[in-house]
Short mmCIF file of all heavy atoms in Angstrom, two decimals:
data_model
loop_
_atom_site.label_atom_id
_atom_site.label_comp_id
_atom_site.label_asym_id
_atom_site.label_seq_id
_atom_site.Cartn_x
_atom_site.Cartn_y
_atom_site.Cartn_z
N PHE A 111 -59.98 57.27 27.27
CA PHE A 111 -60.26 58.47 26.37
C PHE A 111 -60.41 59.77 27.14
O PHE A 111 -59.80 60.83 26.76
CB PHE A 111 -61.48 58.18 25.54
CG PHE A 111 -61.83 59.41 24.71
CD1 PHE A 111 -61.11 59.66 23.55
CD2 PHE A 111 -62.88 60.15 25.11
CE1 PHE A 111 -61.56 60.80 22.66
CE2 PHE A 111 -63.23 61.24 24.28
CZ PHE A 111 -62.56 61.57 23.18
N VAL A 112 -61.17 59.70 28.27
CA VAL A 112 -61.37 61.01 29.08
C VAL A 112 -60.00 61.46 29.64
O VAL A 112 -59.78 62.59 29.65
CB VAL A 112 -62.40 60.63 30.20
CG1 VAL A 112 -62.46 61.80 31.22
CG2 VAL A 112 -63.77 60.31 29.63
N LEU A 113 -59.20 60.62 30.21
CA LEU A 113 -57.95 60.98 30.84
C LEU A 113 -57.05 61.45 29.82
O LEU A 113 -56.32 62.50 30.02
CB LEU A 113 -57.31 59.80 31.57
CG LEU A 113 -58.11 59.35 32.88
CD1 LEU A 113 -57.47 58.05 33.42
CD2 LEU A 113 -57.99 60.44 33.91
N LEU A 114 -56.90 60.84 28.60
CA LEU A 114 -56.05 61.28 27.53
C LEU A 114 -56.46 62.61 26.97
O LEU A 114 -55.61 63.42 26.64
CB LEU A 114 -55.94 60.20 26.41
CG LEU A 114 -55.12 58.97 26.81
CD1 LEU A 114 -55.31 57.97 25.66
CD2 LEU A 114 -53.66 59.25 27.15
N THR A 115 -57.75 62.79 26.79
CA THR A 115 -58.22 64.12 26.30
C THR A 115 -57.96 65.22 27.31
O THR A 115 -57.48 66.37 26.91
CB THR A 115 -59.75 64.07 26.08
OG1 THR A 115 -60.07 62.98 25.29
CG2 THR A 115 -60.24 65.39 25.49
N ALA A 116 -57.98 64.96 28.59
CA ALA A 116 -57.66 65.91 29.69
C ALA A 116 -56.18 66.31 29.67
O ALA A 116 -55.70 67.37 29.70
CB ALA A 116 -58.06 65.53 30.96
N LEU A 117 -55.34 65.16 29.39
CA LEU A 117 -53.89 65.40 29.30
C LEU A 117 -53.53 66.24 28.05
O LEU A 117 -52.71 67.15 28.10
CB LEU A 117 -53.26 63.99 29.19
CG LEU A 117 -51.72 64.05 28.90
CD1 LEU A 117 -51.00 64.75 30.15
CD2 LEU A 117 -51.14 62.62 28.88
N ALA A 118 -54.16 65.98 26.95
CA ALA A 118 -53.92 66.67 25.75
C ALA A 118 -54.28 68.20 25.95
O ALA A 118 -53.62 69.14 25.52
CB ALA A 118 -54.78 66.20 24.55
N ALA A 119 -55.42 68.53 26.61
CA ALA A 119 -55.81 69.89 26.94
C ALA A 119 -54.82 70.49 27.81
O ALA A 119 -54.40 71.72 27.72
CB ALA A 119 -57.16 69.85 27.67
N PHE A 120 -54.29 69.80 28.85
CA PHE A 120 -53.29 70.37 29.75
C PHE A 120 -51.96 70.76 28.95
O PHE A 120 -51.46 71.83 29.11
CB PHE A 120 -52.80 69.24 30.91
CG PHE A 120 -51.80 69.76 31.83
CD1 PHE A 120 -52.13 70.60 32.89
CD2 PHE A 120 -50.51 69.41 31.56
CE1 PHE A 120 -51.12 70.98 33.66
CE2 PHE A 120 -49.44 69.82 32.34
CZ PHE A 120 -49.82 70.61 33.50
N LEU A 121 -51.54 69.85 28.09
CA LEU A 121 -50.33 70.12 27.40
C LEU A 121 -50.44 71.28 26.34
O LEU A 121 -49.53 71.98 26.03
CB LEU A 121 -49.84 68.82 26.59
CG LEU A 121 -49.48 67.74 27.53
CD1 LEU A 121 -49.11 66.44 26.68
CD2 LEU A 121 -48.18 68.08 28.33
N ALA A 122 -51.74 71.43 25.86
CA ALA A 122 -52.01 72.46 24.85
C ALA A 122 -51.83 73.80 25.44
O ALA A 122 -51.37 74.78 24.74
CB ALA A 122 -53.45 72.37 24.27
N VAL A 123 -51.97 73.92 26.74
CA VAL A 123 -51.88 75.23 27.46
C VAL A 123 -50.50 75.30 28.09
O VAL A 123 -49.84 76.35 28.16
CB VAL A 123 -52.94 75.42 28.55
CG1 VAL A 123 -52.75 76.63 29.22
CG2 VAL A 123 -54.35 75.27 27.88
N ALA A 124 -50.06 74.16 28.54
CA ALA A 124 -48.68 74.09 29.25
C ALA A 124 -47.50 74.57 28.40
O ALA A 124 -46.51 75.12 28.90
CB ALA A 124 -48.37 72.69 29.66
N VAL A 125 -47.72 74.45 27.02
CA VAL A 125 -46.59 74.92 26.10
C VAL A 125 -46.32 76.41 26.26
O VAL A 125 -45.25 76.92 25.85
CB VAL A 125 -46.90 74.60 24.65
CG1 VAL A 125 -46.82 73.06 24.41
CG2 VAL A 125 -48.21 75.21 24.16
N THR A 126 -47.30 77.19 26.80
CA THR A 126 -47.07 78.67 26.98
C THR A 126 -45.92 78.97 28.02
O THR A 126 -45.47 80.04 28.17
CB THR A 126 -48.34 79.34 27.51
OG1 THR A 126 -48.71 78.76 28.79
CG2 THR A 126 -49.42 79.27 26.55
N HIS A 127 -45.43 77.91 28.67
CA HIS A 127 -44.28 77.99 29.57
C HIS A 127 -43.05 78.46 28.76
O HIS A 127 -42.09 79.01 29.21
CB HIS A 127 -43.89 76.76 30.26
CG HIS A 127 -42.73 76.60 31.10
ND1 HIS A 127 -42.57 77.40 32.17
CD2 HIS A 127 -41.65 75.95 31.10
CE1 HIS A 127 -41.47 77.31 32.77
NE2 HIS A 127 -40.76 76.35 32.09
N TYR A 128 -43.09 78.14 27.37
CA TYR A 128 -41.99 78.54 26.50
C TYR A 128 -42.30 79.76 25.56
O TYR A 128 -41.65 80.11 24.73
CB TYR A 128 -41.67 77.34 25.67
CG TYR A 128 -41.24 76.13 26.40
CD1 TYR A 128 -42.24 75.09 26.68
CD2 TYR A 128 -40.02 75.97 26.97
CE1 TYR A 128 -41.88 74.05 27.49
CE2 TYR A 128 -39.60 74.94 27.71
CZ TYR A 128 -40.63 73.90 27.90
OH TYR A 128 -40.22 72.73 28.73
N GLY A 129 -43.47 80.26 25.81
CA GLY A 129 -43.98 81.50 25.02
C GLY A 129 -45.43 81.60 24.95
O GLY A 129 -46.14 80.57 24.67
N ASN A 130 -46.04 82.71 25.29
CA ASN A 130 -47.48 82.95 25.31
C ASN A 130 -48.11 82.54 23.95
O ASN A 130 -49.23 81.99 23.95
CB ASN A 130 -47.83 84.40 25.72
CG ASN A 130 -47.76 84.58 27.17
OD1 ASN A 130 -48.33 83.73 27.92
ND2 ASN A 130 -47.23 85.69 27.66
N GLU A 131 -47.47 82.88 22.83
CA GLU A 131 -48.04 82.66 21.55
C GLU A 131 -48.18 81.27 21.23
O GLU A 131 -48.95 80.84 20.32
CB GLU A 131 -47.22 83.39 20.51
CG GLU A 131 -47.27 84.98 20.61
CD GLU A 131 -48.68 85.50 20.55
OE1 GLU A 131 -49.47 85.03 19.66
OE2 GLU A 131 -48.98 86.42 21.31
N LEU A 132 -47.52 80.29 21.94
CA LEU A 132 -47.62 78.93 21.69
C LEU A 132 -48.94 78.34 22.01
O LEU A 132 -49.29 77.22 21.68
CB LEU A 132 -46.47 78.11 22.41
CG LEU A 132 -45.12 78.37 21.78
CD1 LEU A 132 -44.03 77.66 22.69
CD2 LEU A 132 -45.03 77.58 20.40
N ARG A 133 -49.74 79.14 22.75
CA ARG A 133 -51.12 78.72 23.09
C ARG A 133 -51.88 78.39 21.75
O ARG A 133 -52.71 77.52 21.72
CB ARG A 133 -51.89 79.77 23.84
CG ARG A 133 -53.42 79.45 24.24
CD ARG A 133 -53.51 78.27 25.15
NE ARG A 133 -54.84 77.94 25.43
CZ ARG A 133 -55.69 78.39 26.39
NH1 ARG A 133 -55.16 79.33 27.22
NH2 ARG A 133 -56.93 78.04 26.51
N SER A 134 -51.66 79.24 20.80
CA SER A 134 -52.28 79.09 19.54
C SER A 134 -51.91 77.72 18.86
O SER A 134 -52.74 76.96 18.42
CB SER A 134 -51.94 80.16 18.50
OG SER A 134 -52.40 79.95 17.28
N LEU A 135 -50.66 77.35 18.97
CA LEU A 135 -50.08 76.06 18.44
C LEU A 135 -50.74 74.90 19.21
O LEU A 135 -51.16 73.91 18.66
CB LEU A 135 -48.65 76.06 18.48
CG LEU A 135 -47.83 75.05 17.58
CD1 LEU A 135 -48.21 75.35 16.22
CD2 LEU A 135 -46.43 75.12 17.83
N GLY A 136 -50.77 75.08 20.51
CA GLY A 136 -51.43 73.93 21.29
C GLY A 136 -52.89 73.80 21.06
O GLY A 136 -53.38 72.72 20.85
N ASN A 137 -53.57 74.94 20.90
CA ASN A 137 -54.95 74.84 20.56
C ASN A 137 -55.30 74.11 19.20
O ASN A 137 -56.16 73.35 19.00
CB ASN A 137 -55.60 76.23 20.52
CG ASN A 137 -55.90 76.83 21.90
OD1 ASN A 137 -55.80 76.14 22.92
ND2 ASN A 137 -56.09 78.13 21.95
N TRP A 138 -54.37 74.43 18.27
CA TRP A 138 -54.55 73.94 16.88
C TRP A 138 -54.04 72.51 16.82
O TRP A 138 -54.01 71.86 15.69
CB TRP A 138 -54.01 74.88 15.82
CG TRP A 138 -54.88 76.05 15.67
CD1 TRP A 138 -54.57 77.38 16.21
CD2 TRP A 138 -56.16 76.09 15.14
NE1 TRP A 138 -55.59 78.19 15.83
CE2 TRP A 138 -56.66 77.51 15.25
CE3 TRP A 138 -56.98 75.18 14.55
CZ2 TRP A 138 -57.81 77.93 14.84
CZ3 TRP A 138 -58.28 75.63 14.18
CH2 TRP A 138 -58.69 76.94 14.28
N VAL A 139 -53.59 71.92 17.89
CA VAL A 139 -53.40 70.50 17.97
C VAL A 139 -54.62 69.83 18.56
O VAL A 139 -55.21 68.90 18.11
CB VAL A 139 -52.07 70.12 18.74
CG1 VAL A 139 -52.17 68.57 19.05
CG2 VAL A 139 -50.84 70.57 18.02
N PHE A 140 -54.99 70.49 19.66
CA PHE A 140 -56.18 69.98 20.41
C PHE A 140 -57.50 69.91 19.62
O PHE A 140 -58.17 68.94 19.61
CB PHE A 140 -56.38 70.68 21.79
CG PHE A 140 -57.36 70.18 22.62
CD1 PHE A 140 -57.06 69.02 23.42
CD2 PHE A 140 -58.56 70.78 22.82
CE1 PHE A 140 -57.98 68.52 24.32
CE2 PHE A 140 -59.60 70.20 23.69
CZ PHE A 140 -59.21 69.15 24.42
N ILE A 141 -57.69 71.04 18.93
CA ILE A 141 -59.00 71.16 18.19
C ILE A 141 -59.17 70.08 17.18
O ILE A 141 -60.11 69.32 17.16
CB ILE A 141 -59.13 72.58 17.54
CG1 ILE A 141 -59.34 73.64 18.60
CG2 ILE A 141 -60.31 72.61 16.59
CD1 ILE A 141 -59.20 75.08 18.06
N PRO A 142 -58.24 69.96 16.23
CA PRO A 142 -58.46 68.92 15.14
C PRO A 142 -58.40 67.42 15.71
O PRO A 142 -59.17 66.60 15.25
CB PRO A 142 -57.32 69.17 14.13
CG PRO A 142 -56.27 69.83 14.95
CD PRO A 142 -57.01 70.70 15.88
N ALA A 143 -57.59 67.28 16.69
CA ALA A 143 -57.47 65.92 17.18
C ALA A 143 -58.71 65.45 17.89
O ALA A 143 -59.21 64.28 17.67
CB ALA A 143 -56.32 65.82 18.14
N VAL A 144 -59.33 66.20 18.78
CA VAL A 144 -60.53 65.95 19.44
C VAL A 144 -61.72 65.90 18.46
O VAL A 144 -62.51 64.99 18.54
CB VAL A 144 -60.74 66.92 20.57
CG1 VAL A 144 -62.07 66.73 21.24
CG2 VAL A 144 -59.69 66.69 21.70
N TYR A 145 -61.82 67.01 17.63
CA TYR A 145 -62.96 67.00 16.75
C TYR A 145 -63.01 65.85 15.83
O TYR A 145 -64.11 65.19 15.69
CB TYR A 145 -62.91 68.30 15.92
CG TYR A 145 -63.80 69.42 16.51
CD1 TYR A 145 -63.43 70.10 17.68
CD2 TYR A 145 -64.91 69.83 15.85
CE1 TYR A 145 -64.20 71.11 18.16
CE2 TYR A 145 -65.73 70.83 16.34
CZ TYR A 145 -65.39 71.54 17.52
OH TYR A 145 -66.14 72.47 18.00
N LEU A 146 -61.90 65.46 15.17
CA LEU A 146 -61.89 64.37 14.26
C LEU A 146 -62.07 63.01 14.94
O LEU A 146 -62.79 62.18 14.48
CB LEU A 146 -60.62 64.42 13.48
CG LEU A 146 -60.36 65.62 12.53
CD1 LEU A 146 -59.13 65.53 11.84
CD2 LEU A 146 -61.60 65.64 11.44
N ALA A 147 -61.48 62.87 16.13
CA ALA A 147 -61.64 61.57 16.86
C ALA A 147 -63.16 61.35 17.16
O ALA A 147 -63.58 60.25 16.98
CB ALA A 147 -60.78 61.58 18.08
#
Side-chain angles (χ1 to χ4, degrees):
F111 173 77
V112 170
L113 291 173
L114 288 175
T115 305
L117 176 60
F120 177 84
L121 294 175
V123 181
V125 292
T126 58
H127 178 59
Y128 302 99
N130 275 316
E131 294 300 321
L132 285 172
R133 175 71 184 266
S134 174
L135 200 61
N137 284 348
W138 288 108
V139 170
F140 186 76
I141 293 170
V144 171
Y145 263 70
L146 292 178

